[in-house]
């Protein structure tokens, strides 16, 4: 991302077709010039990228209207703007800190909302559409979730980590196992003070 004015960003990309030996000249992604963010999204557009299968890439970034996404099926050389291109959530202008991880069949997306006690939230992208929003933190006795991260484990299921607070400890890190259908297991572990 490049900040061009207060609360306005351009989202740039570059690609390599030779495993990173050389890179294309950076350019602004399609329809990602002058992206407006809200005062809650002080970190900017925060673009993230993940690969669903070979050369099938998805970029997600924040905007005042919610999370936006772009798709490439050729390793990043060309990008498509889906219609609609907004992943609409409960508080679009408060969404921030997206993170993604991909497997051959889906991409797992996590993000949080400023001031929301049930963050982080998750969605799954199957290559054509996004699942409904689901709280990752619900059932963990944690709140004020932020700074989430997601990875795909050896069973091809998502595993999430985030910073949160609980009634029995101050801020700590919570890990939770999930499934490719965007549900989350009862298993979680928390590391914190207290």
């Amino acid at each position: 991302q490049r900040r061009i004015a207060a609360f306005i960003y351009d989202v740039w990309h570059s690609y390599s077709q030779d495993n990173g030996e050389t890179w294309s000249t950076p350019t602004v992604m399609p329809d990602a010039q002058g992206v407006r963010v809200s005062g809650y999204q002080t970190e900017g557009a925060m673009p993230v990228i993940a690969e669903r299968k070979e050369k099938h890439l998805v970029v997600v970034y924040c905007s005042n209207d919610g999370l936006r996404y772009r798709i490439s099926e050729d390793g990043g050389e060309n990008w498509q703007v889906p219609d609609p291109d907004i992943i609409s959530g409960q508080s679009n202008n408060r969404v921030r800190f997206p993170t993604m991880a991909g497997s051959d069949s889906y991409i797992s997306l996590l993000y949080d909302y400023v001031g929301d006690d049930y963050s982080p939230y998750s969605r799954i992208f199957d290559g054509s559409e996004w699942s409904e929003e689901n709280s990752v933190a619900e059932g963990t006795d944690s709140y004020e979730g932020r700074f989430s991260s997601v990875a795909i484990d050896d069973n091809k299921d998502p595993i999430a980590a985030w910073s949160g607070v609980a009634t029995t400890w101050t801020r700590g890190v919570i890990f939770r196992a999930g499934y490719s259908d965007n549900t989350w297991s009862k298993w979680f572990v928390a590391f914190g003070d207290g």
Side-chain angles (χ1 to χ4, degrees):
Q1 74 181 16
R2 180 179 292 164
R3 184 176 184 257
I4 58 173
F7 304 111
I8 302 174
Y9 293 82
D10 289 342
V11 177
W12 291 72
H13 76 99
S14 180
Y15 65 93
S16 174
Q17 297 291 5
D18 56 12
N19 294 319
E21 287 189 37
T22 61
W23 289 87
S24 67
T25 302
T27 58
V28 177
M29 297 197 76
D31 291 339
Q33 186 171 6
V35 175
R36 294 186 179 278
V37 298
S38 76
Y40 296 107
Q41 298 162 323
T42 56
E43 298 80 10
M46 299 174 276
V48 293
I49 189 168
E51 184 176 49
R52 187 174 69 85
K53 58 184 180 180
E54 187 174 343
K55 295 192 178 257
H56 187 263
L57 306 174
V58 175
V59 167
V60 170
Y61 58 91
C62 297
S63 78
N64 195 40
D65 298 320
L67 292 171
R68 293 185 178 272
Y69 73 108
R70 304 290 181 262
I71 298 171
S72 174
E73 295 178 352
D74 59 9
E77 189 171 346
N78 298 288
W79 291 90
Q80 303 163 19
V81 180
D83 183 23
D85 72 328
I86 294 177
I87 308 167
S88 190
Q90 59 179 315
S91 300
N92 288 338
N93 71 340
R94 292 177 179 243
V95 67
R96 62 182 183 170
F97 302 125
T99 181
M100 292 192 298
S103 74
D104 288 342
S105 59
Y106 71 94
I107 288 176
S108 180
L109 166 68
L110 267 65
Y111 50 91
D112 69 72
Y113 293 111
V114 174
D116 183 283
D117 283 345
Y118 298 103
S119 287
Y121 289 88
S122 65
R123 290 180 188 260
I124 296 291
F125 183 67
D126 65 6
S128 60
E129 64 184 7
W130 292 94
S131 69
E132 292 296 315
E133 186 173 78
N134 194 7
S135 170
V136 183
E138 190 172 353
T140 65
D141 191 34
S142 69
Y143 59 96
E144 289 185 15
R146 59 179 76 125
F147 310 121
S148 59
S149 183
V150 65
I152 304 298
D153 69 15
D154 291 342
N155 295 323
K156 305 229 184 275
D157 288 322
I159 187 160
W162 69 96
S163 170
V165 176
T167 56
T168 56
W169 38 270
T170 57
R171 185 154 299 277
V173 177
I174 302 103
F175 294 88
R176 189 168 197 184
Y179 305 105
S180 61
D181 64 355
N182 198 36
T183 59
W184 294 90
S185 74
K186 294 184 187 293
W187 178 89
F188 71 94
V189 63
F191 299 95
D193 297 335

